[in-house]
Structure formats: C-alpha cells, structure tokens
Amino acid sequence: MTNDVSSFNSVPQAPPDVIFNLTAQYKADTDANKINVGVGAFRTDELKPYVLPVVKKADAILFKNDSLDHEYLPITGTPSYTQAAARLILGADSPAIKEGRVAAIQTISGTGANHTGAVFLSQFYKNSNECYISKPTWANHRNIFTMAGFQVKEYPYWNAERRGLDYEAMLQTMEEAPNGSIFVLHACAHNPTGVDPTQEQWKGIAEVMERKGHFPFFDCAYQGFASGDLDRDAWAVRYFVERGFELFVAQSFAKNFGLYGERAGNLTVVSKHAEQVRSQIEKLQRAEISNPPAYGSRIVDIVLNDPVLYGEWKENLSYMSNRIIDMRKALRERLEQLQTPGTWHHITDQIGMFSFTGLNAAQVKVLKEKYHIYMTDNGRISMAGLSTANVDYFAKAVDDVVRNVH
Ligand code: LMR
C-alpha cells in the first residue's frame, strides 16, 4: 500500500461550528477590549463563568455522600431525576402525569434530547420524512434533524421590519404544511431572536396545529432563565398539554443550572402510549450512549427534590435573568443616547439569553475586525457577554457600524 491510498480521499472538509468557532477566535484575540457575545453562556458582571451557589451546595452534599459510587445509571436515567424534570416542565399537578401519559428519559443535555426525540420520530412517526424548524433557529436544530434523516423545512418566525414575530406567515406555513407535520417550537426565549409568541398567539398556533394534526416538538433550553419564573416559561408547553396534544419536550439544564459541560438533559414525552415510546427510546439509547452520565443529573436531582434548595435555585435564577434584563436596559439606553439610527426597543422587548440586533453580516464583520467584538453573522448577541464595564464600548462600536457600514 502506498501512503496516498486512503478510504477517505473524497471526504470534504466540514466548516467549523459557527458558535464554538467564535469562542476559539475570541480566546486567541489578545486585544484588551475584546468582547464575546457569541456563545450563549451566562457570565457575571465581571464576565466570569457563574457556578450557581445552589449547585455548590448540591456538590458538597454529593461529596459527603459515602453511599454514592460510579456504577452505571439505568439506561433511561435515574427515575427521581427524570420524574422531577417532567414535573418541572409540565407542572406537578399536570393531568398528563396523573393519568400516566408521561415518560421521561435522561439525555445528553438539550442536544441529546433533541437528537433522541428526532431519531425516535424518524423510526416511528407517521410523517417521518420531513419536519419544520423556525427561520432563523438555533443552528444545531438543522444538523440534528438532518442527521436523523429528516428533510428539514422552515417556518417563518422573524419579521425584520417589525423586529418581532412574523406571526401571520408562521401560521400560514402551518396551514399549508401536510397534515401531521412535525414542528420544532421553542418553549421560551427563542434562540436566536429572543422573541416569543404572546399567550394569545400561542393559542392561535395551538388551534392551527390541532386542526392540522401537527406534532409539537418543544425545545426548552431556558426554563426559568427567560423570565425568572419557572411556571411562566413553561406556559406554552402546559397549554398544549391541557389541550390534549401528544408532544415531546427537550429539556436542558445547561443554562438554568449553569451546568454547561455536565450535559444534564431530559426528554419528556406526553403520549397515550408513553410506555411503548419509552421502551423504544430505551432500546435506541442503549445503542447510542448505553447509559447517561451521572454527575450533572445528580446535582439537578438533589436541587429539584429538596424544597429549600429549590427555593434557593429560584433566587439564583432571578439573579441571572435580572442581570440580563439590566444589560438590555443599559444597551438600549446607550444606543438611544448616541442616537444610533434605527429603533432599539426590541433590545428590551426580547427576552432570554439573546438579542437579535438587526445588525447585518457586513456590520458584524467590522465589529470583529475593528472592535474585537465576536457575534454570529446573523447579528445575534448573547446579552451575558455585556457588562457594566464594556457596554459603553459595545454601544459605540454598534453606533459606528450602523452609521458607516451598509
Ligand atoms: C448557543 O446557542 O449559543 C448555545 O445554545 C450553545 C450551543 O450549543 O449552540
């Protein structure tokens, strides 16, 4: 065999991941003013990663627990954890839980929950050839559903002129989609726009989806982080359950517990055949990851099942969501003081980790090259990358590119 013989000669180079590549570029940048508003990860006002105080307490409890070991978890995860996760999203008094219509499976964070749900649907759902994601959406939705074998279509979501939800166009696509289509919906704090339907609009969406027999696949990565209120952020999912939908919810504890690297997630299934679905997902999970990782889920399990720690977690959530709200106010205020052309109310109207600024790719490029500010090309910024110390610099940079780059 000669050295140039390879089975992989025709493998094309894949582009780097848009979000994580920004972090790498930011880290390599030596400029003192650099700002990372790329990845959606919470930072304190000192721009440091935040280990939630309640997580530190749960950690200490784990450390002292001599009965813990490193054995395998059950294939679909620890029941006290998965059940607590299902109660968190559906509500402890959910009729679906009382009536035994819920299954919950521990996953590799929200990505794993999306993936596991998508692979199951690709095998067992009646319309398994296509699904709909929002335009724009979290970049990984397309990857996940494409790799699970779906032809991924888009429903309009963002109206650039209105700097808000394109409600009518979204409903129209739902009306025109074949009956029984899968729609991936963001439960709260839509990524990347930070724009959520109002409760009235959710009712309208549910009405069309029910009439058309569409299947809602909720992605819920920000419960409690969006508004600071766990119940409010779960409203849409609970409303759909109340109306009698069968649905999936992908849950992540990366943001609301700050457990980014621990990959604690959950797939909550509401179905008349929850046990059959669970059994098939167990089989699938065995082939893919065998057993879920223990550490992050143990922390979440302790906190969700202890009333005192649960209360403390809510306080930690309030701190995070309030810091983000403060940064929204600060940024809007600065841009309005600078009289930056355009309107900036959307910065404070939007909720959750992200703001969809309306900046275009050319402006984003100049922000990176001239100001060392890192954000995705679609103009999404992670509000947690701003701080009391850098918001002036950021606003002035935005002012410059809005005026001078078109
Ligand atoms: C983001 O959208 O920045 C985060 O959810 C990180 C990720 O996995 O993409």
Side-chain angles (χ1 to χ4, degrees), residues 19-20 38-40 111 138 140 191 222 255 354 380:
I19 291 170
F20 287 99
V39 68
T111 297
W138 178 49
N140 221 10
N191 180 358
Y222 298 94
K255 327 281 177 183
F354 302 110
R380 181 191 88 164

Side-chain angles (χ1 to χ4, degrees), residues 178-195:
N179 288 354
S181 293
I182 297 167
F183 277 82
V184 179
L185 303 166
H186 299 225
C188 62
H190 181 267
N191 180 358
T193 66
V195 172

Side-chain angles (χ1 to χ4, degrees), residues 54-92:
V54 77
V55 166
K56 285 189 183 158
K57 285 196 182 169
D59 232 349
I61 294 171
L62 277 180
F63 188 70
K64 284 190 215 124
N65 185 345
D66 286 334
S67 69
L68 281 180
D69 50 40
H70 297 289
E71 294 295 292
Y72 293 120
L73 296 191
I75 297 170
T76 52
T78 309
S80 55
Y81 165 83
T82 55
Q83 286 163 13
R87 280 197 304 274
L88 182 71
I89 186 66
L90 300 178

Side-chain angles (χ1 to χ4, degrees), residues 296-311:
S297 65
R298 281 179 173 155
I299 299 225
V300 175
D301 193 348
I302 288 173
V303 175
L304 293 187
N305 287 303
D306 179 306
V308 176
L309 294 179
Y310 188 77

